[in-house]
Amino acid sequence: MYRFVGFYFFYWVSVEALKTLNYSISEEGGSRNAIGNINDAQLELPERGKKPNFRVLENSAPHLLDVDPNSGLLYTKQRIDRETLCKNSPKCVLSLEVFANDKDVCMIKVEILDINDNSPKFASDQIDIDISENASPGTRFPLTTAQDPDLGNNGLKTYRMRGDNGLFSLDIKSRGDGTKVPELVIQKALDREEQSHHTLILTAFDGGIPPRSANLQINIKVIDANDNSPVFEAKSYTVEIAENSPIGKMIIDLNATDADEGTNADVIYSFSGYASDQVWELFSIDSKTGIIQVKGNIDYEEIQMLEIDVQAEDEGPNPIPVHCKVTVLVTDVNDNFPSISFVSVRQGAISEASPPGTVIALVRVTDKDSGKNGQFQCWVLGNVPFKLEDNYDNFFTVVTSRPLDREIQDEYNITIIARDNGNPSLDSTNSFSVKILDENDNPPSFSKSMYALQVSANNIPGEYLGSVLAQDPDLGQNGTVSYSIFPSYIDSVSIYTYVSINPRNGAIYALRTFYYELTKYFEFKVIAKDLGSPHLESNATVRVSVLDVNNNAPVIVLPSLQNDTAEIYVPRNVGMGYIISTVRAMDIDFGESGRVTYEIIQESKDHLFEIDSVTGEIRLLNPHWEDIAPVVELIIKVTDNGKPSLSTVAKLIIKANSDCLGCYEEEDNVIGEQRDWDIYLPVLVALSAISIILFAAMVTIVVKCKKENKEVGPYNGRAAYTSQPKLGKMKNKKINKNDIMLVQSEIEEKNAMNVVSCPLLVTSPMYFDSQSRLPLSSSHSGVMYLTPTSNNQTESQGNVECHSHNNDTGQIRPSVENTSTWIPLTKICLV
């Protein structure tokens, strides 16, 4: 027989509901008796494709009750005896916690109902009572009580006595705990001489249907009188004692006095005959002093109040005992720790992307103490991203309190602490672990926002330039970084033709040879992308600087060399320090690699000349040098400052000018003109750097020159042909730089400039072959070399004596037959 009482719902995230089911079953039933079916509680159905399942989480009597894991049937496992199971409890309840279909927690309580299966029972079949004959009517004698372990109506109800013959009567009293106590009352005075023994039958009845009973034979012996009995100070006493009081602790010191003398006044204390078993187990009384002490362990959770019946009698003949009642109130002591149990814990790891409030576990906390000692607070220990939320009936849920970050901590040991409000308080802890699952929430992070790499000019394609590094704290694919170059262009050329990157380690390699003269530096962006889904990425800028290398040797442009040799003619009678010539060298490298120094490494006669290491000016040290050596050979070395340095060597043959003895006037003019050249040469070199800006002005000058010299034929970029003016006009006229102009050729490329004769140059017996071009876009000193034709061609225009024009010394020297001489000219128009 079973009875379904009711249920109610309690929601949370992982557990759908908490239901309470109450059942009752009578004791003494056999095994496999059905009590009820948990499915009747309208549980949540299991997920599709899964069978119902029921798992017992906690069972107060696993040997008596169980639940079928498949059907949910609650049944008995053996015969249940309520009296054995709940000896001292008025209500016998068994409890179970069942986890149904992985969704519902069912709190099941089964009450064991009492049946009248026990008869009242006296401690013995008979008792002997000695009563003094002088006992006055109304004197009471407590009798032994019967015990019936059944409860309620099935327990002990009343007593009846027979065979009293009017001398005795039975009075039934109820104690505070509901126990029925029979007392024998003297109705009439006794006469030992008339009847010394009396036999009475005391019958105890319970309230069952039909009632059960037990008999006790009372043997009364009438004793000669001791006419004074002890007297207690009070009829009843109430004392308090804390549970777990130590053995031997005194509860009360009773005092009873007797007016008699001698042995009739000596009082003996004892527990009355109907004292309960608990009294005998927990307390002891000193028969001489009346002190009651603790004998056993007192537990408030088992008993809260106990009544002790004490009797006192003297040692005189035929004593008459007196009785008093001592009520012991047990006070609670905080002796039970809170109990923490995990009803359900989330299986597996929790994602770090889980929002705050995600349920991790269901926790139950209990404390067997009462009052403040049974009240408690619970919380999660430590600074962890979890907290407890109070739900119902000592149930708590562990939820996330803030966002999780696996990169900070990938596993937590969650410790629940429960502390009661006792004094001193008691606390308990219980723990479980939670692992954090990685999510792709971190983009790769470069160690620098800008990477500066360097590569030497003239590198080999495929050369390693450097590496970039991006780190991702995520795990697995989420933390695996792949590198790529962001599409871009450098001077309309794809960056993918410049460099490449290893997608795994970020190593950057050159795909071409870089020339410092063309590319000083370039920039591009590198993308670092993880392999998560969706992927995250970041970028950094890479700047590659091209370092100039010393790969060009200096080139001597002044004086004009043939076969690395030049002849320098020095006027006679010049003083010491006179600049006989200036050596000019160009190096198209940049920086220190393009800075040159000059030195004389060999001299046929020592200490006649010196050279300035910076300007290249060669000065005369001895004014009488021609007397020492009419011809001096100097080996000039021009060295750049690169590492390693490169150098160029030239031979200068210095001769005294003895071929033009009658040309002092013209020589002086030429020397003056040469000095003017020496003054303006640095300016002309500087102007060559900005020649593009002055291009428009040059064109205008060219047009003006053409208008003034219409007789001059057009220059075809190969040779300049002019009409032959009178030589007499040219003999005393100085050649001015304004008489020479460089104009753009009409048949050469757009960015080239050729030499054209101005009016004063057409008289020269030379004709120029302008195969070499002067590029307008050159960043260096624009120097071109003009090759004169052989003397045969010159003679066809007239038999005129020719003097070479030297830009450094201003000297006029005859041209050498059948010799080709290079004349350096800057990119300007000499008009």
Side-chain angles (χ1 to χ4, degrees):
M1 179 181 70
Y2 65 94
R3 177 162 51 96
F4 174 75
V5 178
F7 60 89
Y8 50 89
F9 296 95
F10 167 68
Y11 291 96
W12 70 298
V13 176
S14 294
V15 178
E16 295 294 334
L18 175 65
K19 305 183 182 336
T20 300
L21 307 177
N22 295 330
Y23 299 92
S24 63
I25 185 173
S26 298
E27 66 173 330
E28 300 299 331
S31 62
R32 301 299 297 185
N33 280 357
I35 300 175
N37 197 308
I38 301 176
N39 275 321
D40 297 339
Q42 299 180 2
L43 301 174
E44 290 288 332
L45 295 177
E47 297 179 4
R48 181 176 298 178
K50 290 187 178 181
K51 296 180 179 181
N53 63 91
F54 303 84
R55 178 161 55 94
V56 177
L57 301 177
E58 185 174 343
N59 190 348
S60 64
H63 62 290
L64 299 177
L65 302 178
D66 204 350
V67 175
D68 189 282
N70 298 320
S71 64
L73 178 66
L74 179 65
Y75 63 94
T76 62
K77 298 178 69 174
Q78 64 179 29
R79 182 183 68 85
I80 300 176
D81 185 2
R82 191 203 67 80
E83 287 74 25
T84 302
L85 186 64
C86 305
K87 182 178 179 181
N88 297 320
S89 177
K91 189 173 183 179
C92 188
V93 177
L94 303 180
S95 63
L96 294 91
E97 293 180 4
V98 178
F99 200 28
N101 298 329
D102 296 331
K103 294 184 177 181
D104 300 314
V105 174
C106 299
M107 310 299 296
I108 302 173
K109 294 183 179 180
V110 180
E111 182 180 6
I112 309 301
L113 302 178
D114 182 61
I115 64 174
N116 192 19
D117 59 334
N118 293 283
S119 299
K121 185 178 181 180
F122 289 97
S124 63
D125 295 334
Q126 61 182 11
I127 60 173
D128 297 324
I129 300 177
D130 294 337
I131 301 177
S132 176
E133 65 177 346
N134 63 352
S136 60
T139 302
R140 295 171 176 268
F141 298 87
L143 301 176
T144 300
T145 59
Q147 302 293 328
D148 192 339
D150 294 329
L151 294 177
N153 291 330
N154 295 327
L156 181 66
K157 283 295 184 182
T158 187
Y159 295 88
R160 294 176 188 174
M161 189 175 67
R162 63 182 185 275
D164 54 356
N165 298 323
L167 294 176
F168 304 93
S169 65
L170 182 66
D171 187 14
I172 302 174
K173 289 187 176 181
S174 296
R175 296 194 305 186
D177 59 356
T179 304
K180 305 291 186 182
V181 179
E183 292 183 349
L184 180 65
V185 182
I186 299 177
Q187 295 292 327
K188 297 178 181 180
L190 301 177
D191 188 358
R192 187 191 63 81
E193 289 72 23
E194 182 179 347
Q195 187 176 355
S196 61
H197 291 84
H198 300 270
T199 300
L200 304 175
I201 301 299
L202 179 64
T203 303
F205 295 91
D206 63 21
I209 300 175
R212 292 173 176 263
S213 63
N215 294 324
L216 174 65
Q217 181 178 320
I218 304 173
N219 299 318
I220 299 175
K221 180 181 178 181
V222 180
I223 304 299
D224 197 15
N226 178 14
D227 53 359
N228 285 294
S229 297
V231 177
F232 282 101
E233 294 175 351
K235 289 294 182 180
S236 62
Y237 300 90
T238 301
V239 294
E240 290 186 354
I241 185 172
E243 65 171 331
N244 300 328
S245 294
I247 295 176
K249 180 178 176 62
M250 184 183 72
I251 296 177
I252 191 171
D253 184 3
L254 297 176
N255 186 26
T257 60
D258 193 316
D260 293 329
E261 294 182 351
T263 59
N264 291 333
D266 295 335
V267 179
I268 298 175
Y269 302 91
S270 64
F271 293 137
S272 65
Y274 56 84
S276 66
D277 294 339
Q278 285 182 316
V279 172
W280 289 99
E281 291 174 358
L282 299 177
F283 305 101
S284 65
I285 187 170
D286 190 306
S287 62
K288 296 296 185 180
T289 62
I291 295 176
I292 300 177
Q293 294 176 316
V294 176
K295 178 183 177 182
N297 183 30
I298 302 174
D299 190 354
Y300 175 85
E301 284 69 43
E302 293 183 3
I303 184 170
Q304 292 83 42
M305 183 192 73
L306 193 64
E307 291 183 348
I308 303 176
D309 292 303
V310 180
Q311 73 175 18
E313 60 182 4
D314 58 37
E315 294 187 43
N318 305 315
I320 298 176
V322 294
H323 299 81
C324 74
K325 181 173 66 175
V326 178
T327 301
V328 179
L329 301 178
V330 181
T331 58
D332 184 41
V333 174
N334 191 24
D335 59 341
N336 290 284
F337 288 84
S339 175
I340 303 172
S341 60
F342 297 114
V343 177
S344 177
V345 178
R346 177 186 287 270
Q347 300 298 318
I350 179 174
S351 171
E352 63 176 327
S354 300
T358 301
V359 176
I360 306 301
L362 177 65
V363 183
R364 184 181 184 183
V365 183
T366 57
D367 194 322
K368 292 181 180 180
D369 292 322
S370 61
K372 289 186 177 181
N373 296 330
Q375 299 172 355
F376 51 82
Q377 294 85 36
C378 297
W379 65 91
V380 177
L381 187 64
N383 185 22
V384 295
F386 302 96
K387 66 179 180 178
L388 279 181
E389 289 187 350
D390 191 2
N391 287 316
Y392 178 78
D393 194 20
N394 296 338
F395 279 89
F396 301 86
T397 52
V398 181
V399 301
T400 56
S401 60
R402 61 178 184 265
L404 304 175
D405 192 344
R406 187 207 61 80
E407 288 69 39
I408 296 178
Q409 190 166 346
D410 60 356
E411 185 175 0
Y412 291 92
N413 185 34
I414 302 176
T415 300
I416 310 299
I417 183 169
R419 179 173 297 166
D420 61 29
N421 295 333
N423 187 19
S425 61
L426 301 177
D427 54 57
S428 300
T429 60
N430 204 349
S431 303
F432 66 95
S433 297
V434 173
K435 292 186 177 181
I436 309 302
L437 185 65
D438 183 53
E439 293 288 341
N440 190 25
D441 57 345
N442 290 283
S445 176
F446 281 97
S447 57
K448 303 176 183 178
S449 60
M450 166 73 79
Y451 290 85
L453 306 182
Q454 293 180 341
V455 59
S456 297
N458 305 319
N459 61 293
I460 300 174
E463 181 177 341
Y464 171 75
L465 302 182
S467 297
V468 296
L469 176 63
Q471 295 180 332
D472 194 321
D474 292 325
L475 293 179
Q477 294 292 90
N478 296 335
T480 302
V481 179
S482 175
Y483 301 91
S484 63
I485 297 176
F486 186 77
S488 60
Y489 293 88
I490 299 175
D491 295 333
S492 302
V493 178
S494 174
I495 187 63
Y496 298 129
T497 66
Y498 278 72
V499 291
S500 66
I501 189 169
N502 188 313
R504 293 184 178 181
N505 57 26
I508 299 174
Y509 300 91
L511 294 181
R512 60 166 59 184
T513 300
F514 299 107
Y515 299 98
Y516 182 81
E517 293 77 16
L518 299 178
T519 304
K520 304 297 187 300
Y521 70 90
F522 60 92
E523 293 181 355
F524 58 93
K525 289 186 179 296
V526 173
I527 306 296
K529 177 173 64 177
D530 60 34
L531 302 184
S533 180
H535 68 264
L536 301 176
E537 63 180 38
S538 60
N539 64 78
T541 301
V542 178
R543 181 186 179 101
V544 179
S545 298
V546 180
L547 302 179
D548 186 30
V549 296
N550 190 23
N551 59 339
N552 293 282
V555 176
I556 298 176
V557 297
L558 287 178
S560 178
L561 302 177
Q562 276 199 350
N563 298 324
D564 298 326
T565 303
E567 293 184 356
I568 304 297
Y569 290 90
V570 181
R572 292 181 306 231
N573 301 325
V574 294
M576 187 176 64
Y578 178 78
I579 299 176
I580 66 169
S581 183
T582 300
V583 179
R584 291 282 186 269
M586 290 194 332
D587 193 322
I588 61 175
D589 292 322
F590 286 82
E592 289 298 303
S593 297
R595 187 171 64 85
V596 299
T597 57
Y598 305 90
E599 63 176 324
I600 298 174
I601 63 174
Q602 183 178 344
E603 185 177 358
S604 59
K605 294 295 182 176
D606 294 338
H607 306 299
L608 296 181
F609 301 94
E610 69 174 358
I611 188 170
D612 190 301
S613 62
V614 176
T615 63
E617 294 176 344
I618 301 175
R619 299 179 183 272
L620 182 62
L621 294 180
N622 191 331
H624 307 291
W625 67 276
E626 66 270 17
D627 296 332
I628 299 173
V631 177
V632 179
E633 291 185 358
L634 301 180
I635 305 300
I636 306 298
K637 183 179 180 181
V638 181
T639 306
D640 60 27
N641 287 272
K643 293 183 180 181
S645 62
L646 300 177
S647 61
T648 300
V649 177
K651 179 191 290 187
L652 298 184
I653 301 175
I654 302 176
K655 299 179 180 181
N657 193 351
S658 58
D659 297 333
C660 194
L661 299 179
C663 302
Y664 293 111
E665 180 180 353
E666 184 175 353
E667 181 178 317
D668 292 338
N669 293 334
V670 173
I671 291 174
E673 183 182 353
Q674 176 62 36
R675 290 174 180 172
D676 292 338
W677 272 93
D678 290 339
I679 295 174
Y680 287 107
L681 184 59
V683 178
L684 298 179
V685 174
L687 290 176
S688 65
I690 58 172
S691 60
I692 296 176
I693 302 174
L694 301 178
F695 179 77
M698 293 180 182
V699 174
T700 304
I701 297 173
V702 170
V703 174
K704 182 177 179 182
C705 291
K706 287 185 178 181
K707 289 181 178 180
E708 294 178 354
N709 301 281
K710 292 182 180 180
E711 68 278 8
V712 180
Y715 178 62
N716 61 5
R718 182 68 179 175
Y721 296 94
T722 62
S723 58
Q724 184 75 14
K726 295 181 180 180
L727 295 178
K729 296 181 180 181
M730 280 296 299
K731 185 173 182 180
N732 296 323
K733 181 176 178 60
K734 292 196 304 181
I735 299 176
N736 192 283
K737 63 182 179 180
N738 293 327
D739 296 331
I740 301 175
M741 178 178 65
L742 299 180
V743 298
Q744 188 172 2
S745 173
E746 298 177 354
I747 62 174
E748 294 290 330
E749 292 180 11
K750 182 177 181 180
N751 291 329
M753 180 169 287
N754 299 310
V755 178
V756 69
S757 298
C758 283
L760 297 179
L761 288 180
V762 297
T763 59
S764 174
M766 313 271 301
Y767 114 90
F768 298 89
D769 183 2
S770 58
Q771 295 292 336
S772 299
R773 295 177 288 139
L774 295 174
L776 294 177
S777 60
S778 174
S779 60
H780 301 286
S781 176
V783 179
M784 67 176 293
Y785 302 98
L786 303 181
T787 305
T789 61
S790 64
N791 289 338
N792 295 333
Q793 292 174 325
T794 305
E795 292 174 358
S796 63
Q797 297 183 19
N799 221 356
V800 180
E801 183 180 8
C802 173
H803 299 274
S804 297
H805 182 274
N806 186 291
N807 287 332
D808 294 311
T809 63
Q811 296 296 314
I812 301 297
R813 64 181 179 88
S815 61
V816 181
E817 293 184 358
N818 300 322
T819 301
S820 177
T821 303
W822 293 92
I823 301 177
L825 295 175
T826 56
K827 289 193 298 183
I828 60 172
C829 179
L830 301 179
V831 182

